[in-house]
Amino acid sequence: QKEVEQDPGPLSVPEGAIVSLNCTYSNSAFQYFMWYRQYSRKGPELLMYTYSSGNKEDGRFTAQVDKSSKYISLFIRDSQPSDSATYLCAMRGEYNFNKFYFGSGTKLNVKP
Amino acid sequence: GAVVSQHPSWVICKSGTSVKIECRSLDFQATTMFWYRQFPKQSLMLMATSNEGSKATYEQGVEKDKFLINHASLTLSTLTVTSAHPEDSSFYICSARDGVSEQYFGPGTRLTVT
């Protein structure tokens, strides 16, 4: 079993839709959770970063962590064609600062 | 803030030659840098982790003698692909962190070995 599971998609939605991207994980020691956006042939860009459980909002993006279910989500409101990219979740534990675990990425396509 | 650059962005080299890729943290001191490889439509594969002034720690299956990593300063790490072969063609991405931040990625380097 992989440490982090993420549906590869592709996920295709019309412009303006609310998008929900998700990851599940198996290691209860994970405390830091990140979402990255990667455009084709570019490096990943850090979008959201949360610590432990709860929600974090930044503009049209909301990151949600449910540690009891080992489930994290990224919501995109009013999705735009420019949001079309691959979204990677990542996580790490409290003490092993340099050991990150990445999901395989979900490809999102927002149609105009 | 938190900008990481890579150079070159794209390189073509002949089989058997070596190629060096640079990774720089432009506005912070990177105590740790990471090198990843990414095949088309696949996720990131961590190759090695390097701390400034120390030898890199390679992931299982990554050849140390083929992928030479040097992290000589707090703002620069280099990856040298030695005796490159067509199967080394890939997208190489570095990332950096300053010890308290999360990883910030460079824009990637596309290597094509002919």
Side-chain angles (χ1 to χ4, degrees):
Chain A
Q1 184 189 6
K2 287 183 182 177
E3 297 269 8
V4 181
E5 299 276 1
Q6 186 175 8
D7 188 332
L11 178 61
S12 191
V13 301
E15 183 175 354
I18 297 174
V19 175
S20 173
L21 303 165
N22 312 293
C23 287
T24 58
Y25 62 95
S26 56
N27 191 337
S28 57
F30 290 151
Q31 292 279 20
Y32 295 85
F33 304 91
M34 287 73 70
W35 284 96
Y36 289 86
R37 176 176 63 195
Q38 186 177 22
Y39 291 112
S40 182
R41 301 190 177 209
K42 300 289 184 184
E45 169 194 9
L46 182 62
L47 271 181
M48 301 285 284
Y49 154 69
T50 51
Y51 172 72
S52 194
S53 281
N55 292 0
K56 186 172 184 178
E57 189 173 320
D58 184 0
R60 295 185 296 111
F61 298 91
T62 300
Q64 201 170 77
V65 175
D66 181 349
K67 290 194 69 185
S68 61
S69 302
K70 298 191 183 69
Y71 190 88
I72 68 170
S73 301
L74 177 70
F75 297 97
I76 307 174
R77 289 182 299 282
D78 188 25
S79 57
Q80 302 295 308
S82 59
D83 295 327
S84 298
T86 296
Y87 290 80
L88 294 145
C89 65
M91 48 199 78
R92 66 174 176 90
E94 183 84 53
Y95 302 108
N96 194 342
F97 301 117
N98 290 323
K99 187 65 178 176
F100 290 74
Y101 296 84
F102 284 87
S104 55
T106 299
K107 186 171 175 61
L108 172 66
N109 180 29
V110 181
K111 298 175 291 185
Chain B
V3 179
V4 176
S5 71
Q6 272 183 251
H7 177 80
S9 56
W10 186 28
V11 58
I12 301 174
C13 71
K14 291 188 176 179
S15 189
T17 62
S18 295
V19 62
K20 181 186 284 188
I21 302 169
E22 289 188 351
C23 177
R24 292 181 186 273
S25 57
L26 300 185
D27 53 1
F28 66 100
Q29 294 189 320
T31 51
T32 307
M33 285 185 163
F34 306 82
W35 286 96
Y36 293 85
R37 186 172 179 179
Q38 189 175 38
F39 292 102
K41 299 184 180 181
Q42 293 189 28
S43 190
L44 305 166
M45 184 190 83
L46 179 64
M47 299 174 68
T49 302
S50 72
N51 292 297
E52 184 263 338
S54 303
K55 286 186 178 180
T57 302
Y58 289 81
E59 294 297 301
Q60 194 172 10
V62 178
E63 298 175 62
K64 300 178 185 181
D65 296 331
K66 181 161 187 65
F67 299 99
L68 301 178
I69 291 170
N70 184 283
H71 190 165
S73 77
L74 284 170
T75 59
L76 173 65
S77 177
T78 59
L79 167 68
T80 302
V81 183
T82 62
S83 186
H85 290 285
E87 58 266 29
D88 299 324
S89 299
S90 191
F91 193 51
Y92 292 88
I93 310 174
C94 73
S95 70
R97 61 190 305 260
D98 62 5
V100 295
S101 70
E102 300 316 314
Q103 291 187 50
Y104 292 94
F105 285 86
T109 297
R110 185 160 303 280
L111 170 64
T112 301
V113 184
T114 60

